[in-house]
Amino acid sequence: MKMIGPTNPSRGARRPLGLDEVRLTTGFWADRQQQNAQVVLPHCITWMERAGWLDNMRVLGAGGPAAGRRGREFADSEIYKLLEAHAWEAGRSGDPATSQFVTAWGATLAAAQAGDGYLNTNFGRPGQAARYTDLAWGHELYCYGHLIQAGVARLRAHGTDDLVSVTCRAADHICAEFGPAGRTAICGHPEIETALVELYRATGQERYLTQARLFVERRGTGLLPPGPFGREYFSDRIPVRQARVLEGHAVRALYLASAAVDVAVETGDDALLDAVVHQWQRTIATRTYLTGGMGSRHEGEAFGDDFELPPDGAYCETCAGVASVQLAWRLLLATGEARYADLVERTLHNVIAGGLAADGHGFFYTNPLQQRVAGAAPEPDALSPRAATGLRAPWFEVSCCPTNLARTLASLAGYTATADAGGLRIELLTGAEIHTTLASGRRVGLRVATDYPWHGRVRIQITDADGAPWRLSIRVPGWARGATLTAGGQTHAAVAGSYAQAERAWRPGDELVVDLPVAPRWTFPDPRIDAVRGTVAVERGPLVYCLESVGLPGGVDLDQLAIVTATPPRDAVTSEPETQAVDVAAIATPSSAPAAWPYAADRPAGAAAAPHPVRLIPFYARANRGPAAMRVFLPEHRAND
Amino acid sequence: MKMIGPTNPSRGARRPLGLDEVRLTTGFWADRQQQNAQVVLPHCITWMERAGWLDNMRVLGAGGPAAGRRGREFADSEIYKLLEAHAWEAGRSGDPATSQFVTAWGATLAAAQAGDGYLNTNFGRPGQAARYTDLAWGHELYCYGHLIQAGVARLRAHGTDDLVSVTCRAADHICAEFGPAGRTAICGHPEIETALVELYRATGQERYLTQARLFVERRGTGLLPPGPFGREYFSDRIPVRQARVLEGHAVRALYLASAAVDVAVETGDDALLDAVVHQWQRTIATRTYLTGGMGSRHEGEAFGDDFELPPDGAYCETCAGVASVQLAWRLLLATGEARYADLVERTLHNVIAGGLAADGHGFFYTNPLQQRVAGAAPEPDALSPRAATGLRAPWFEVSCCPTNLARTLASLAGYTATADAGGLRIELLTGAEIHTTLASGRRVGLRVATDYPWHGRVRIQITDADGAPWRLSIRVPGWARGATLTAGGQTHAAVAGSYAQAERAWRPGDELVVDLPVAPRWTFPDPRIDAVRGTVAVERGPLVYCLESVGLPGGVDLDQLAIVTATPPRDAVTSEPETQAVDVAAIATPSSAPAAWPYAADRPAGAAAAPHPVRLIPFYARANRGPAAMRVFLPEHRAND
């Protein structure tokens, strides 16, 4: 069936609801979606003009020379992600100017595309390397992947136009060049695979699925050179169906795993799906940060070994968060299991939301859980190196993250609810209006009202129903021990980490209320995570909290605080409208100069001072008050310290 | 005065004794010096032939083309370090074949050198970039630095020959090209600076000192492009006399700091010396590993922030160990303070010694203090990527470390003892024979006999003396609390971290004995080193110990052990001849599969099992029993765990 959203599998446990069925209305995510439309998208256009990436394509479309092309080899992909974001946003809001932006760019792309469907500003013209001469690093297929995702978004949210035509010509070109009769080759950066499956889903053309499957199956057979970071950097060390855990470059690995799910679902390849499920399980168990962030190493932007999760060294690229949401969402649709939706929520609140500055004009590329030294503020008018820490930067030399955030936020309604034959499920707990037709043919409508994540009550009111029974479910996150479900005047315990549900002949005006215990809580890491031994973190609902040096009492050193866990964390009384702070009790060791040698025969003495409260803020809201040192994991005061 | 050794300042608190004055006879370092001569040097030649780096120079010398040149841009420097090692070894052993190797290569270099003194296989020929067109990354001046150090070694250990002539021509060329009337430029990798100072010391030509000072003073003034790792990568963010701590690429920073000491000493620039002393102090206090290793980050091979010392992420390049020894030795000579000699000893025993395989045929490039997963054994016949972990590799694509070890070991006698007007000091506690003439004109001779570091007794017997009084001193390391000094039948307490000394009219046959408490001991890290919170390490004398998964009882997981510090570590009873193992009591948590999510609301329960002994070996001796996981810092069992 037609569905207006980024992922529409033809099989699986759950059907995702589209942007035409779900509208985010108020609250945490609706606010960000508004900001995305009003601030982030114009910001991206401004910076891409400045960086010359938009002009690259205009020049190619006008038959201009290669000389003067600006930006990295994958700069075209930023145009495509920008178009995808606009396509979703136009579909969501109906804004004609937003739609017109896509229309105009479709014409430019059509002019730039070669007669055989090839389209890339970085290869093939006089003075440039020939097409497909650097598949490992050239990103040509990667760029097509983002083009196709933009085309699919346009097709679903609007219908056929220039962008869609360009997309299909490019996809046909790829099938001809890289199909069974073409080159046996793959791209250094997976992305084309999910895109081709989605184009198959949107058009019904089997050849796109066949090509995607070929690309997935070719991986891990040694088609790429090993490169400085090893074959795992390219997700090319072993075939995807043999891998036991995600490794190497995090975004590459997550995009490939998403594609493997897509191929498995569309071809009925349960063994392949199982392989990815096992990889995901192991990755979540041993290689994922509390925030949902993935990627422990700066070198190679890579997953580390099991339990190698340093908070300060963490890479946790924003794009890896986007990719992880895509993978978990696909696994949720395939299996229906709540754990996947839990990770989507965790990653959205702590990686995606935190990638964006409060004013919408800055972005984090990396999202470490500890900032040792207050970083410098980035130059307001300069491209930042991609791994800049400190404050969020307006744009990067490698600026994959801003447009990736933009397209995710614009399509977020598509990650909010799912359906099966028997009913409807709320996956993302946020203010929304939902209208759909169940597979049974029954029309249903409802309204979700909540201040979540600040408050734990989620109220669902039925707005449309014909009186026949159907099942309404709502996700109860894994941390929500003690949650309750109230429906029809009765309150029941709801099981954390599953779906609370009520099946009945709903009538307009009926209500279902879920109460989640969002009070702040301690979270202890597994002792095998060496880098955070002896520490504790604070979570509140789906939000991870952090302590910043900004706002600490004078003379208190963030690195010489120990938390007293005997005193529970509690909500701070603040006047800030949106960000609920949390107070914990901490003992401050008087700030001291380093010893001559930081290793000693005697155990260091702990402080004996009385505890005082210190105030934590949500991790996503960090670095909005100026440069600051910051920690998520806080050393715990021990009685015998 | 003439001195046969790598560093011969004209001023300072201590004069180093040379290879003609000190001979290593038996024990830890004499054994390694023998192995260096018999195994390491031939191994280096074999691999440099294989890699084509020696042929590069032969082809240039024969007027051949640039095409076919192999290796990285700094491959010439490996030839020079190999020559330096041979020059010292020939001087030490008097072996004619070793000396002939240097002679023959001197002729090859003379043939390869351009008429104006330029010498580099990677620039300037048809098909190559022009000279000095890539100072940031081209390493031309860096290569000259190693050429000059080889030439100085030859001049001091042998006298003038082709290599020395080539060296002086190259140095004169540099002064002409980069002097006050030449380019205002510096090299991306410091090295030329110390070399020029040493050539000044060896030849008395002031222009070399002037040029070295220019290079040091130009640094930090923005002469190099920032590059992907920032200006600190090049030690070029701020002038050396303004820096408060070492930062950026560790080897670059340490070579530059060494040069700054050299310049400061030779020009009487006490402010510059003070600046380096402060940088060293802060670096030792906050950015140095227990092993003496330096460099916390793989990305940029760089120092981290203060207290950023992850054991698994540690880079701790072997060459940074060599460079740190050079810096500390220079500071020791300038100031006479024992703390510098302590760091030299720590670094030699735990970084330098560990960089070399037991059989002398393998090398570590990085020296992390934790190996999470037993690494694969490197291909025996292939160049390894430089940051290979697991076992030591026979050679690397970037193979700076093997020849750096070789030249250090060949000249190690030069780091063993120092003199001043009043007497002689033993800095490195190892079997040696020493004969010298004090500044007073008095000839003295002595023999050092010891099994250190395995046993704590160091016995010094006077072998030559004329009956007049002089002071004999021996370093008592900072960890050696409870050391004693026995001389003339009387035993006194000796202060750890200083020099025990006795001044008397020594006669041949007189003895001085120092007893150092080398029993194994616990060492606790500063609580600000987040990455090792809650752990303890074992040291024994100057040696850091580690626990390897190889040798653990079956079923015991290295990552699920907790050490009981109430039971002191004790020497193991083993039959191994050289390597004293240490046993500690550990509680093994039954090996368990990872939880679904490694963060929990409940504090993880500790194991209640009875402790059993596990056996540690010296860190330097790790990875000689096959691939293994390994830890230096071991989680400590806490009563309320």
Side-chain angles (χ1 to χ4, degrees):
Chain A
M1 80 178 273
K2 183 171 183 306
M3 177 272 189
I4 302 179
T7 315
N8 191 17
S10 61
R11 299 188 320 126
R14 311 294 307 169
R15 177 180 80 79
L17 268 56
L19 278 65
D20 53 334
E21 298 170 299
V22 180
R23 194 167 64 83
L24 304 189
T25 50
T26 58
F28 194 92
W29 291 113
D31 290 350
R32 279 161 180 76
Q33 214 168 42
Q34 285 299 329
Q35 185 185 48
N36 187 52
Q38 292 162 10
V39 181
V40 177
L41 292 182
H43 177 100
C44 289
I45 293 172
T46 300
W47 277 88
M48 285 169 66
E49 290 289 9
R50 225 164 170 167
W53 304 345
L54 293 174
D55 269 346
N56 290 342
M57 190 62 77
R58 294 189 187 110
V59 168
L60 178 64
R69 180 190 179 278
R70 290 167 67 193
R72 291 288 299 272
E73 59 277 21
F74 36 73
D76 293 357
S77 70
E78 300 310 327
I79 302 177
Y80 304 141
K81 282 188 286 179
L82 185 71
L83 290 178
E84 184 189 341
H86 277 79
W88 293 131
E89 178 57 26
R92 182 190 79 79
S93 67
D95 177 55
T98 305
S99 183
Q100 175 53 31
F101 182 86
V102 183
T103 302
W105 267 97
T108 303
L109 296 180
Q113 190 169 36
D116 68 348
Y118 184 84
L119 178 55
N120 194 293
T121 66
N122 197 49
F123 289 89
R125 278 181 284 177
Q128 291 181 322
R131 294 179 183 181
Y132 307 128
T133 49
D134 185 15
L135 284 166
W137 297 98
H139 286 75
E140 284 158 289
L141 291 166
Y142 169 87
C143 287
Y144 285 131
H146 283 300
L147 167 65
I148 293 170
Q149 289 181 340
V152 168
R154 188 59 168 172
L155 179 58
R156 287 185 174 151
H158 172 92
T160 297
D161 72 352
D162 273 350
L163 175 58
V164 177
S165 304
V166 168
T167 292
C168 292
R169 279 199 298 273
D172 291 340
H173 163 81
I174 293 162
C175 293
E177 283 283 331
F178 294 90
R183 308 161 196 255
T184 304
I186 54 176
C187 183
H189 199 313
E191 163 61 27
I192 184 66
E193 300 84 355
T194 47
L196 284 170
V197 175
E198 214 57 44
L199 187 61
Y200 154 72
R201 290 168 173 165
T203 64
Q205 300 295 321
E206 286 269 359
R207 62 182 177 284
Y208 303 144
L209 175 61
T210 303
Q211 186 62 45
R213 186 182 183 176
L214 263 181
F215 281 140
V216 168
E217 297 285 2
R218 282 174 187 166
R219 231 154 175 107
T221 63
L223 293 174
L224 295 169
F229 306 119
R231 291 191 191 281
E232 63 268 31
Y233 176 81
F234 294 124
S235 290
D236 194 35
R237 191 178 63 80
I238 52 171
V240 61
R241 65 176 73 235
Q242 290 173 24
R244 304 303 295 165
V245 64
L246 298 183
E247 63 175 15
H249 188 275
V251 178
R252 283 171 167 81
L254 289 158
Y255 280 170
L256 179 64
S258 297
V261 175
D262 285 341
V263 168
V265 164
E266 297 304 331
T267 63
D269 188 341
D270 290 345
L272 182 58
L273 179 60
D274 269 5
V276 180
V277 165
H278 278 94
Q279 291 161 30
W280 186 89
Q281 280 176 181
R282 179 87 190 180
T283 302
I284 296 304
T286 65
R287 300 184 176 191
T288 302
Y289 285 92
L290 181 61
T291 55
M294 294 186 182
S296 302
R297 298 178 182 170
H298 278 242
E299 183 156 279
E301 309 183 286
F303 284 104
D305 289 324
D306 288 353
F307 298 116
E308 180 190 338
L309 292 163
D312 51 345
Y315 201 71
C316 292
E317 185 180 338
T318 303
C319 285
V322 170
S324 174
V325 167
Q326 293 184 2
L327 174 59
W329 183 250
R330 281 163 171 76
L331 290 169
L332 170 69
L333 298 179
T335 66
E337 293 173 24
R339 56 182 178 159
Y340 301 115
D342 270 12
L343 190 81
V344 168
E345 173 178 73
R346 179 177 292 276
T347 308
L348 285 173
H349 278 95
N350 298 294
V351 180
I352 305 298
L356 192 58
D359 67 5
H361 284 292
F363 307 88
F364 273 135
Y365 193 109
T366 61
N367 295 276
L369 282 73
Q370 178 179 5
Q371 178 80 27
R372 283 184 180 277
V373 179
E379 294 287 326
D381 289 321
L383 300 188
S384 287
R386 60 182 165 181
T389 50
L391 300 190
R392 294 169 185 84
W395 208 250
F396 301 93
E397 289 168 9
V398 175
S399 217
C400 44
C401 299
T403 52
N404 228 349
L405 283 181
R407 68 179 182 134
T408 303
L409 290 172
S411 59
L412 201 60
Y415 296 91
T416 304
T418 61
D420 65 7
L424 198 73
R425 258 197 207 163
I426 310 300
E427 307 284 358
L428 190 59
L429 312 176
T430 198
E433 284 184 1
I434 301 178
H435 296 278
T436 190
T437 304
L438 298 180
S440 56
R442 201 168 304 292
R443 271 199 58 79
V444 302
L446 53 82
R447 181 180 302 124
V448 183
T450 183
D451 285 330
Y452 185 87
W454 311 118
H455 299 100
R457 172 157 294 190
V458 183
R459 185 187 299 266
I460 302 175
Q461 192 175 46
I462 306 298
T463 57
D464 191 3
D466 60 9
W470 54 279
R471 191 169 59 248
L472 176 57
S473 311
I474 181 165
R475 185 173 54 84
V476 180
W479 49 262
R481 291 193 282 194
T484 60
L485 169 75
T486 304
Q490 289 191 308
T491 296
H492 305 276
V495 179
S498 74
Y499 292 90
Q501 55 190 49
E503 181 157 7
R504 62 177 62 195
W506 298 99
R507 294 173 178 281
D510 282 355
E511 266 198 0
L512 180 149
V513 174
V514 168
D515 282 297
L516 302 171
V518 294
R521 62 189 190 274
W522 301 124
T523 298
F524 297 92
D526 188 294
R528 285 169 285 194
I529 307 177
D530 292 291
V532 290
R533 178 173 292 109
T535 69
V536 62
V538 172
E539 293 184 279
R540 185 184 185 285
L543 298 173
V544 174
Y545 275 64
C546 70
L547 185 56
E548 285 192 305
S549 57
V550 171
L552 279 180
V556 173
D557 179 355
L558 179 62
D559 291 338
Q560 298 198 289
L561 279 179
I563 302 303
V564 180
T565 46
T567 306
R570 59 169 201 278
D571 280 342
V573 180
T574 64
S575 56
E576 291 179 59
E578 203 211 33
T579 304
Q580 176 62 57
V582 169
D583 288 339
V584 302
I587 293 178
T589 300
S591 190
S592 63
W597 179 240
Y599 311 97
D602 305 309
R603 187 191 305 280
H612 285 286
V614 293
R615 184 153 293 181
L616 281 63
I617 62 167
F619 176 72
Y620 81 79
R622 72 198 182 281
N624 280 317
R625 299 180 289 179
M630 180 276 298
R631 289 172 175 263
V632 166
F633 287 99
L634 306 167
E636 188 183 358
H637 182 75
R638 303 290 290 263
N640 58 346
D641 274 352
Chain B
M1 79 178 277
K2 183 170 183 307
M3 176 273 188
I4 303 180
T7 315
N8 191 18
S10 60
R11 299 189 319 126
R14 311 294 307 170
R15 175 180 80 77
L17 268 57
L19 278 66
D20 52 334
E21 298 170 298
V22 180
R23 194 168 63 84
L24 304 188
T25 50
T26 58
F28 194 93
W29 290 112
D31 291 351
R32 279 163 179 75
Q33 213 169 42
Q34 285 298 328
Q35 186 186 49
N36 186 53
Q38 291 162 12
V39 181
V40 177
L41 292 183
H43 177 100
C44 288
I45 293 172
T46 300
W47 277 88
M48 286 169 64
E49 290 289 9
R50 225 164 170 168
W53 302 346
L54 294 174
D55 269 347
N56 289 343
M57 190 63 76
R58 294 189 187 109
V59 169
L60 178 63
R69 181 190 178 279
R70 292 167 66 194
R72 293 287 299 271
E73 58 277 20
F74 36 73
D76 293 357
S77 70
E78 300 311 327
I79 302 177
Y80 304 142
K81 280 188 285 176
L82 186 71
L83 291 178
E84 184 189 342
H86 277 78
W88 294 130
E89 178 57 25
R92 181 191 78 80
S93 67
D95 178 55
T98 305
S99 183
Q100 175 53 32
F101 181 86
V102 183
T103 303
W105 267 97
T108 303
L109 296 179
Q113 191 169 35
D116 67 348
Y118 185 83
L119 178 55
N120 194 293
T121 67
N122 197 49
F123 290 89
R125 280 181 284 177
Q128 291 181 322
R131 294 178 183 183
Y132 307 128
T133 50
D134 185 14
L135 284 166
W137 298 99
H139 285 75
E140 283 158 290
L141 291 167
Y142 169 87
C143 288
Y144 284 132
H146 283 300
L147 168 64
I148 293 169
Q149 288 181 341
V152 167
R154 188 60 168 172
L155 179 59
R156 287 183 174 155
H158 172 92
T160 296
D161 71 352
D162 273 350
L163 175 57
V164 177
S165 303
V166 168
T167 291
C168 292
R169 279 199 298 272
D172 291 339
H173 163 81
I174 293 163
C175 293
E177 282 284 332
F178 295 91
R183 307 161 196 256
T184 303
I186 53 174
C187 182
H189 199 314
E191 163 62 27
I192 184 66
E193 299 84 356
T194 47
L196 284 170
V197 176
E198 214 58 43
L199 187 61
Y200 153 71
R201 289 167 174 167
T203 64
Q205 300 295 321
E206 286 270 0
R207 64 183 176 282
Y208 302 143
L209 175 62
T210 303
Q211 186 62 45
R213 186 182 184 176
L214 264 181
F215 281 140
V216 169
E217 296 285 2
R218 282 175 187 166
R219 227 148 181 112
T221 62
L223 293 174
L224 295 168
F229 307 119
R231 291 192 190 281
E232 63 269 32
Y233 175 81
F234 295 124
S235 290
D236 193 36
R237 192 177 62 81
I238 51 171
V240 61
R241 65 177 74 237
Q242 289 174 24
R244 304 304 294 164
V245 66
L246 299 184
E247 64 174 14
H249 188 276
V251 178
R252 283 171 167 81
L254 288 158
Y255 280 169
L256 179 65
S258 297
V261 175
D262 285 341
V263 168
V265 165
E266 298 303 331
T267 62
D269 189 340
D270 290 344
L272 182 58
L273 179 61
D274 269 5
V276 181
V277 165
H278 277 95
Q279 291 161 28
W280 186 89
Q281 280 175 182
R282 180 84 189 182
T283 301
I284 296 303
T286 65
R287 300 184 177 190
T288 302
Y289 285 93
L290 181 60
T291 55
M294 294 185 182
S296 302
R297 298 179 182 169
H298 277 241
E299 183 156 280
E301 310 183 282
F303 284 103
D305 288 324
D306 287 353
F307 299 114
E308 179 189 338
L309 292 162
D312 52 343
Y315 201 71
C316 291
E317 185 181 338
T318 302
C319 286
V322 170
S324 174
V325 167
Q326 292 184 4
L327 174 59
W329 183 250
R330 282 163 170 75
L331 290 168
L332 170 69
L333 298 179
T335 66
E337 293 174 24
R339 56 182 178 159
Y340 300 115
D342 271 11
L343 190 82
V344 168
E345 173 178 72
R346 178 176 293 275
T347 307
L348 285 173
H349 279 95
N350 299 294
V351 180
I352 305 299
L356 192 57
D359 68 4
H361 284 293
F363 307 88
F364 272 136
Y365 193 110
T366 60
N367 296 276
L369 282 72
Q370 179 178 5
Q371 178 79 27
R372 283 184 181 276
V373 179
E379 294 288 326
D381 290 319
L383 301 188
S384 287
R386 59 182 165 181
T389 49
L391 301 190
R392 294 170 185 83
W395 208 249
F396 301 92
E397 290 168 7
V398 174
S399 216
C400 43
C401 299
T403 51
N404 229 349
L405 283 181
R407 67 178 183 135
T408 303
L409 291 172
S411 60
L412 201 61
Y415 296 91
T416 303
T418 60
D420 65 7
L424 198 74
R425 256 197 208 164
I426 310 300
E427 307 285 358
L428 191 59
L429 312 176
T430 197
E433 285 185 0
I434 300 177
H435 296 277
T436 190
T437 304
L438 299 180
S440 56
R442 202 166 304 293
R443 272 198 58 78
V444 303
L446 52 83
R447 180 180 303 124
V448 182
T450 183
D451 285 331
Y452 185 87
W454 310 118
H455 299 100
R457 172 155 294 189
V458 183
R459 185 188 298 268
I460 302 175
Q461 192 176 45
I462 305 301
T463 57
D464 191 4
D466 60 9
W470 55 278
R471 191 170 58 249
L472 176 57
S473 311
I474 181 165
R475 185 173 55 85
V476 180
W479 49 261
R481 290 194 282 194
T484 60
L485 168 76
T486 303
Q490 290 192 308
T491 298
H492 304 278
V495 178
S498 73
Y499 293 90
Q501 55 190 48
E503 181 157 7
R504 64 178 60 195
W506 296 99
R507 293 171 179 283
D510 282 357
E511 267 198 4
L512 180 149
V513 174
V514 168
D515 282 298
L516 303 172
V518 294
R521 63 189 189 274
W522 301 124
T523 298
F524 298 92
D526 189 295
R528 285 168 284 195
I529 307 177
D530 293 290
V532 291
R533 177 174 292 107
T535 69
V536 63
V538 172
E539 294 184 279
R540 185 184 184 285
L543 298 173
V544 173
Y545 275 63
C546 70
L547 185 57
E548 285 192 306
S549 57
V550 171
L552 278 181
V556 173
D557 180 354
L558 179 61
D559 290 338
Q560 298 197 290
L561 278 179
I563 301 303
V564 181
T565 45
T567 306
R570 61 170 200 277
D571 280 342
V573 181
T574 63
S575 57
E576 291 180 59
E578 205 212 30
T579 304
Q580 176 63 57
V582 168
D583 288 339
V584 302
I587 293 177
T589 300
S591 190
S592 63
W597 180 241
Y599 310 96
D602 305 308
R603 188 191 304 279
H612 285 284
V614 293
R615 184 153 293 181
L616 280 64
I617 61 167
F619 177 71
Y620 81 80
R622 72 198 182 281
N624 280 316
R625 299 180 290 180
M630 180 276 298
R631 287 172 176 265
V632 166
F633 287 100
L634 306 167
E636 188 183 359
H637 181 76
R638 303 289 290 263
N640 58 345
D641 275 351

